[in-house]
């Protein structure tokens, strides 16, 4: 199992970000925009959707899941205005969608149009994207409706999600179990229950990985009871968290090694500082494991032709 270390500062930064925005499993997806759109129009359109979500208190995710927010842009009219220099005016229609990509269901839509002006066709397209209105009441209603339906999906699926997470944990697939729980929106009625289950699985995860690290540390020290063996053992001992069930055993081994190699050994066992909110730290830690699992999954092939 892949080892993942989390600093206390990083964990609490992630908590602050989650508190500031709603956690919603909604991935931004913009298809490659065909000619006559310029190559960088896709990036600008993706940034535009991100701004729309942020303006409505939503933190999008880069992790593949069922739910996408996307846009289809269509050229409507082009005018060439003679002058010095010549200006091109380009009008675009923007149709935004929040969808369940697996079940192929459109949850909500929002349409707007904008005119862009530039000395080239590329600049006029990019200017139109820049001017697309994303802070209107219509855009807010679009986000709210999509959010409502995503939450409804999770409310209906909650028990199945819990069951899958427990089954994965029993198979020692902890990363995947956390990934299952990570998608649950903060507004769900059983969100607190999902955190409690995540903490329960996290304790099993901590104990399991700690036992593995302790076994490796013992093996390294038994093989070479010198500074080299101590260095290898120390790398494993440094991975063991204070809340692990075998932490005291690890401390005994640490003390034994320290007494023998003395100042030649620079490794320390993990300790929590006074005042640390361990509950929040646990939540941030297992959520980070789930995020890392999702981000490391292969890219999925997505097609949105069905929404047109």
């Amino acid at each position: 199992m892949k080892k993942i270390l989390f600093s206390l500062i990083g964990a609490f930064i992630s908590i602050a970000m989650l508190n500031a925005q709603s956690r919603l499993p909604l991935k931004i997806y913009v298809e490659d925009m065909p000619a006559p759109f310029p190559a960088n129009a896709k990036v600008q359109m993706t940034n535009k959707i991100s701004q729309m979500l942020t303006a409505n208190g939503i933190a999008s995710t880069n992790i593949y899941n069922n739910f996408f927010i996307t846009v289809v842009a269509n050229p409507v009219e082009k005018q060439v205005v003679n002058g010095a220099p010549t200006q091109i005016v380009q009008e675009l229609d923007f149709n935004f969608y929040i969808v369940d990509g697996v079940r192929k269901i459109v949850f909500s839509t929002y349409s707007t149009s904008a005119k862009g002006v530039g000395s080239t066709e590329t600049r006029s397209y990019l200017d139109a994207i820049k001017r697309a209105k994303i802070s209107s009441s219509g855009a807010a209603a679009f986000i709210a409706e999509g959010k409502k339906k995503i939450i409804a999906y999770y409310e209906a699926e909650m028990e199945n999600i819990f069951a899958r997470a427990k089954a994965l944990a029993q198979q020692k697939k902890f990363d995947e179990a956390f990934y299952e729980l990570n998608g649950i929106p903060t507004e769900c009625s059983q969100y607190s229950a999902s955190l409690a289950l995540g903490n329960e699985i996290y304790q099993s995860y901590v104990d399991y990985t700690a036992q593995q690290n302790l076994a490796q540390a013992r093996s390294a020290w038994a093989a070479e009871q010198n500074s080299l063996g101590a260095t290898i053992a120390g790398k494993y001992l440094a991975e063991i968290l204070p809340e692990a069930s075998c932490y005291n055993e690890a401390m005994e081994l640490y003390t034994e090694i320290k007494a023998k190699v003395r100042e030649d050994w620079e490794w320390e066992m993990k300790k929590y500082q006074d005042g640390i909110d361990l509950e929040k730290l646990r939540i941030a830690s297992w959520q980070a494991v789930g995020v890392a699992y999702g981000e490391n999954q292969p890219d999925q092939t997505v097609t949105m032709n069905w929404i047109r």
Side-chain angles (χ1 to χ4, degrees), residues 267-278:
W267 301 98
E268 295 289 342
M269 294 288 291
K270 288 190 186 300
K271 295 179 181 178
Y272 291 142
Q273 297 177 353
D274 292 339
I276 291 295
D277 190 328
L278 291 180

Side-chain angles (χ1 to χ4, degrees), residues 49-125:
I49 295 176
S50 180
Q51 293 168 16
M52 177 189 287
L53 292 174
T54 300
N56 287 279
I58 302 294
S60 65
T61 177
N62 289 325
I63 300 173
Y64 177 80
N65 56 71
N66 291 14
F67 307 108
F68 298 87
I69 178 169
T70 190
V71 64
V72 175
N74 295 306
V76 177
E77 184 181 3
K78 181 174 74 173
Q79 295 179 336
V80 178
V81 180
N82 294 322
T86 299
Q87 296 289 301
I88 297 174
V89 180
Q90 192 77 241
E91 183 177 0
L92 301 179
D93 280 347
F94 299 93
N95 298 303
F96 295 86
Y97 303 86
I98 293 177
V99 304
D100 181 334
V102 173
R103 295 183 295 167
K104 292 183 169 51
I105 299 173
V106 174
F107 283 166
S108 61
T109 63
Y110 167 65
S111 297
T112 187
S113 61
K115 288 184 178 181
V117 181
S119 57
T120 65
E121 192 169 83
T122 291
R123 289 179 178 176
S124 66
Y125 273 115

Side-chain angles (χ1 to χ4, degrees), residues 2 27 62-65 175-176 179 289-300:
K2 182 172 53 182
K27 180 176 176 63
N62 289 325
I63 300 173
Y64 177 80
N65 56 71
D175 304 47
E176 194 172 350
Y179 171 75
V289 174
V291 167
Y293 173 85
E295 289 180 341
N296 286 320
Q297 297 310 295
D299 289 338
Q300 303 289 327

Side-chain angles (χ1 to χ4, degrees), residues 225-244:
Q225 294 195 4
N226 52 33
S227 59
L228 178 59
T231 298
I232 297 172
K235 291 179 180 179
Y236 291 109
L237 291 175
E239 299 282 341
I240 298 175
L241 295 175
E243 56 204 297

Side-chain angles (χ1 to χ4, degrees), residues 22-64:
S22 172
R23 293 180 67 250
L24 197 68
L26 185 61
K27 180 176 176 63
I28 297 173
Y29 179 77
V30 178
E31 292 183 310
D32 291 333
M33 302 177 76
F37 288 100
N40 54 343
K42 178 178 178 178
V43 173
Q44 190 161 332
M45 202 69 256
T46 300
N47 292 337
K48 197 74 175 179
I49 295 176
S50 180
Q51 293 168 16
M52 177 189 287
L53 292 174
T54 300
N56 287 279
I58 302 294
S60 65
T61 177
N62 289 325
I63 300 173
Y64 177 80

Side-chain angles (χ1 to χ4, degrees), residues 169-272:
Q170 289 175 352
Q171 299 170 49
K172 303 297 188 278
K173 296 179 180 179
F174 297 107
D175 304 47
E176 194 172 350
F178 296 138
Y179 171 75
E180 285 283 342
L181 295 174
N182 247 6
I184 298 172
T186 51
E187 290 84 354
C188 281
S189 61
Q190 295 192 63
Y191 180 69
S192 294
S194 76
L195 296 183
L197 177 56
N199 285 349
E200 179 184 327
I201 294 174
Y202 178 68
Q203 186 61 53
S204 298
Y205 166 80
V206 168
D207 290 342
Y208 178 72
T209 54
Q211 288 287 355
Q212 287 188 317
N213 284 316
L214 179 56
Q216 293 283 3
R218 282 173 170 161
S219 177
W221 180 239
E224 295 187 79
Q225 294 195 4
N226 52 33
S227 59
L228 178 59
T231 298
I232 297 172
K235 291 179 180 179
Y236 291 109
L237 291 175
E239 299 282 341
I240 298 175
L241 295 175
E243 56 204 297
S245 58
C246 66
Y247 184 79
N248 289 338
E249 295 176 63
M251 279 298 300
E252 290 175 5
L253 178 59
Y254 168 84
T255 303
E256 176 188 332
I257 297 173
K258 186 73 172 176
K260 189 158 187 176
V261 298
R262 294 189 172 89
E263 68 277 358
D264 295 331
W265 203 42
E266 60 183 17
W267 301 98
E268 295 289 342
M269 294 288 291
K270 288 190 186 300
K271 295 179 181 178
Y272 291 142

